[in-house]
């Protein structure tokens, strides 16, 4: 399958749907909203954690030091995220007020495509992890047979995986989902919904 590449990803929780919503900016191919069930969120987290271990060569480290190495890497990744957020905020300048014509033009932008995530594909390549989501188009898939479609893909480095894991767990906590994961190296305090360097994840 061919997937459109996304370099920006936002995550929110929808109480109405009881789903996490991944909002992927696919550039010229438009924005896609992907509904993530609790089961699918768990699958995503498990795959990220397994590949993080392989990507960072943790198998070469004595097992008794795994927690320490992971905690240090996680703290560095989150600090890099905070530094990138601060730099972005400092560089942001207010946009001029839009003309009425601009407002009218914005009304013609089609709404984001909506999918229910059904499959996650991962592939390690060099020092990066490629992840790709496949899904069913909504709401039509609820009432008629539909084909699973490639939705979007992202390429993540190790620090981005740390940041995505943190964000997914934070959003799952907001949803009051119990995820049977024990990660002593992961800091648990909720953090503001901000971006990260490289592929942007909110």
């Amino acid at each position: 399958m061919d997937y459109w590449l996304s370099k920006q990803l936002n995550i929110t929780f929808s109480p109405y749907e009881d789903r996490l919503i991944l909002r992927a900016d696919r550039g010229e191919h438009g924005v896609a909203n992907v509904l993530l069930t609790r089961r699918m969120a768990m699958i995503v987290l498990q795959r990220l954690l397994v590949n993080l271990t392989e990507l960072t060569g943790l198998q070469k480290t004595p097992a008794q030091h795994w927690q320490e190495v992971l905690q240090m890497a996680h703290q560095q990744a989150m600090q890099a995220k905070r530094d990138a957020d601060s730099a972005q905020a400092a560089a942001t300048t207010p946009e001029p007020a839009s003309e009425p014509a601009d407002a009218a033009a914005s009304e013609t932008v089609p709404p984001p495509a909506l999918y229910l995530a059904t499959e996650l594909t991962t592939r390690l390549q060099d020092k990066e992890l490629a992840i790709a989501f496949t899904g069913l188009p909504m709401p039509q898939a609820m009432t008629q047979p539909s084909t699973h479609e490639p939705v979007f893909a992202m390429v993540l480095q190790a620090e981005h995986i740390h940041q995505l894991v943190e964000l997914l767990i934070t959003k799952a906590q907001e949803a009051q989902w119990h995820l049977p994961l024990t990660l002593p190296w992961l800091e648990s305090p909720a953090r503001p919904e901000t971006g990260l360097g490289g592929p942007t994840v909110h």
Side-chain angles (χ1 to χ4, degrees):
M1 289 186 179
D2 293 327
Y3 295 84
W4 290 313
L5 189 65
S6 173
K7 293 186 177 180
Q8 183 171 359
L9 179 69
N10 302 327
I11 303 179
T12 56
F13 171 66
S14 169
Y16 176 76
E17 296 280 355
D18 192 24
R19 301 282 189 269
L20 295 184
I21 302 177
L22 279 60
R23 181 180 175 88
D25 185 347
R26 304 176 297 177
E28 63 181 7
H29 302 292
V31 173
N33 285 340
V34 182
L35 302 176
L36 218 63
T37 62
R38 176 185 175 278
R39 181 188 67 84
M40 195 65 189
M42 190 66 199
I43 291 173
V44 173
L45 279 169
Q46 289 175 333
R47 296 284 285 278
L48 289 175
L49 291 168
V50 168
N51 282 283
L52 180 62
T53 300
E54 296 183 12
L55 186 63
T56 55
L58 201 59
Q59 302 94 328
K60 302 176 183 178
T61 303
Q64 64 268 29
H65 299 303
W66 280 23
Q67 298 295 341
E68 180 181 349
V69 172
L70 282 168
Q71 185 176 44
M72 184 178 300
H74 187 75
Q75 290 173 348
Q76 290 174 347
M78 298 312 298
Q79 184 60 52
K81 170 177 173 290
R82 289 189 287 271
D83 292 344
D85 290 342
S86 298
Q88 183 178 8
T92 301
T93 56
E95 297 183 358
S98 300
E99 297 295 329
D102 294 336
S106 66
E107 295 177 0
T108 65
V109 177
L114 181 64
Y115 295 89
L116 174 67
T118 56
E119 183 181 354
L120 174 70
T121 302
T122 58
R123 184 179 74 251
L124 283 173
Q125 48 189 32
D126 297 328
K127 294 185 178 182
E128 298 177 323
L129 173 67
I131 65 173
F133 285 90
T134 302
L136 287 171
M138 300 295 281
Q140 56 264 42
M142 298 176 64
T143 57
Q144 59 191 27
S146 301
T147 303
H148 295 257
E149 301 178 10
V151 183
F152 76 92
M154 294 190 80
V155 178
L156 306 172
Q157 296 178 350
E159 70 174 23
H160 305 137
I161 298 175
H162 274 286
Q163 294 163 6
L164 184 52
V165 166
E166 168 101 0
L167 184 57
L168 281 168
I169 289 179
T170 298
K171 294 302 176 182
Q173 290 173 342
E174 290 180 11
Q176 297 184 348
W177 289 355
H178 171 66
L179 301 180
L181 286 172
T182 302
L183 303 173
W185 50 269
L186 185 68
E187 295 181 357
S188 58
R191 289 182 171 78
E193 191 174 322
T194 51
L196 53 97
T200 304
V201 180
H202 288 264

